[in-house]
Amino acid sequence: MSLAGKSAIITGSNSGIGLGIARELARAGANIVLNSFSDAPEDHALAASLADEFNVDARYIQADMSRGEDCRALIRKAGGCDVLVNNAGIQHVAPIERFPADMWDRIIAINLGSCFHTTAAALPGMRESGWGRVINISSAHGLTASPFKSAYVAAKHGVVGLTKTTALETAQEPITCNAICPGYVLTPLVEAQIPEQMKTHGLDRETVIREVMLERQPSREFATTEQIGETVVFLCSPAAQQITGTTISIDGGWTAL
Ligand code: NAD
């Protein structure tokens, strides 16, 4: 599958799943724009290293996905895109009555609002060029709930709804919109929680992963950032032209329970 000549913007892509997606899109030959809220030399160096590794054009553009205007400016500064991957996301865990209202607003803005703003800004260019892919990174929490994650679960369910509406509005054009719903993925953020969990539960690494962290993931294995990235590349392939408005779970059977 070659994406040579296509351009992709991946929000929240200086680490974790976003970076994994950017790597697989670059491996397939797409020119990529990395993004996060920071503007550090290492962000730009990361883009340069991907450009070298995969022989594509790679740039880093700073934009804060909690601000609608920044989301739209990201698309503008990139000069539009053929593939838009809405990946930026944050989490906060607390019971509803103690959930900080400003954290609720922030999660809804970054995890859901940004998808609306970037999609609105990117669609006109996709229509003009006659091809487009919008891929929203939702979650198993876009299809099921967990206690104490009210804002995250609400935002990720919202992303699934936005995905369906975007798909219907573009259904008769060569543009598709889908959501990927990962279960637990082994990102640096998740990796960093393992030693703490081992201490808390007095268990070894393998047991903590199997019995505590992956308790809801029947495969008892993490999904990988490469698997998410390769699924994004598949959604950009001709085989996926009629796949639109749906969700693809990569969750080891979580949502089958
Ligand atoms: P991560 O923290 O490694 O990555 C999040 C990315 O978003 C980072 O690049 C971060 O810099 C960026 N980001 C955060 N706030 C931002 C802002 N205001 N503006 C721009 N960028 C911002 O986390 P991850 O695990 O890679 O998560 C990526 C996406 O995948 C999120 O939407 C998350 O909800 C979703 N997800 C993750 C898992 C998992 O197990 N890791 C499971 C399901 C869904």
Side-chain angles (χ1 to χ4, degrees):
M1 170 66 203
S2 173
L3 292 177
K6 301 284 191 217
S7 62
I9 300 174
I10 309 99
T11 70
S13 48
N14 63 353
S15 77
I17 294 173
L19 180 55
I21 293 168
R23 289 184 58 81
E24 294 314 313
L25 285 167
R27 194 188 305 283
N31 296 321
I32 52 170
V33 170
L34 301 180
N35 153 265
S36 185
F37 57 87
S38 54
D39 201 10
E42 48 272 33
D43 294 323
H44 296 274
L46 183 60
S49 79
L50 290 191
D52 270 0
E53 186 177 350
F54 297 109
N55 199 23
V56 295
D57 182 42
R59 282 183 291 157
Y60 177 86
I61 300 179
Q62 186 277 342
D64 183 343
M65 293 297 103
S66 69
R67 299 158 182 254
E69 185 38 48
D70 269 34
C71 298
R72 290 169 188 261
L74 169 64
I75 308 299
R76 214 167 41 239
K77 287 179 188 166
C81 60
D82 302 303
V83 180
L84 170 64
V85 183
N86 287 309
N87 167 79
I90 59 165
Q91 172 67 285
H92 185 81
V93 180
I96 288 175
E97 68 274 25
R98 291 206 299 276
F99 208 97
D102 60 342
M103 192 51 84
W104 168 275
D105 290 344
R106 203 166 159 70
I107 291 176
I108 299 295
I110 296 173
N111 296 20
L112 175 58
S114 71
C115 305
F116 158 68
H117 290 291
T118 54
T119 302
L123 277 181
M126 291 178 179
R127 290 199 159 112
E128 215 175 293
S129 73
W131 191 89
R133 294 285 182 269
V134 180
I135 299 160
N136 296 323
I137 306 304
S138 179
S139 166
H141 282 114
L143 302 166
T144 65
S146 291
F148 314 127
K149 297 184 177 176
S150 52
Y152 187 84
V153 169
K156 293 298 188 182
H157 275 71
V159 167
V160 172
L162 176 65
T163 299
K164 292 177 182 175
T165 298
T166 306
L168 292 181
E169 292 187 18
T170 55
Q172 295 185 12
E173 300 165 83
I175 297 172
T176 68
C177 178
N178 293 287
I180 294 178
C181 296
Y184 280 109
V185 183
L186 191 54
T187 59
L189 203 79
V190 174
E191 177 67 49
Q193 294 167 19
I194 298 175
E196 174 99 19
Q197 293 274 9
M198 287 166 65
K199 222 162 82 189
T200 309
H201 296 277
L203 296 170
D204 63 49
R205 180 184 164 90
E206 292 318 309
T207 314
V208 147
I209 290 174
R210 273 189 71 81
E211 307 302 333
V212 180
M213 302 185 77
L214 294 177
E215 197 236 327
R216 289 184 73 181
Q217 199 144 306
S219 66
R220 302 290 168 125
E221 280 183 32
F222 286 113
T224 66
T225 60
E226 289 81 3
Q227 289 162 354
I228 314 290
E230 287 177 30
T231 304
V232 167
V233 172
F234 164 70
L235 285 171
C236 295
S237 73
Q241 183 62 50
Q242 288 300 315
I243 301 177
T244 195
T246 194
T247 58
I248 298 184
S249 291
I250 307 179
D251 66 1
W254 178 333
T255 43
L257 279 174

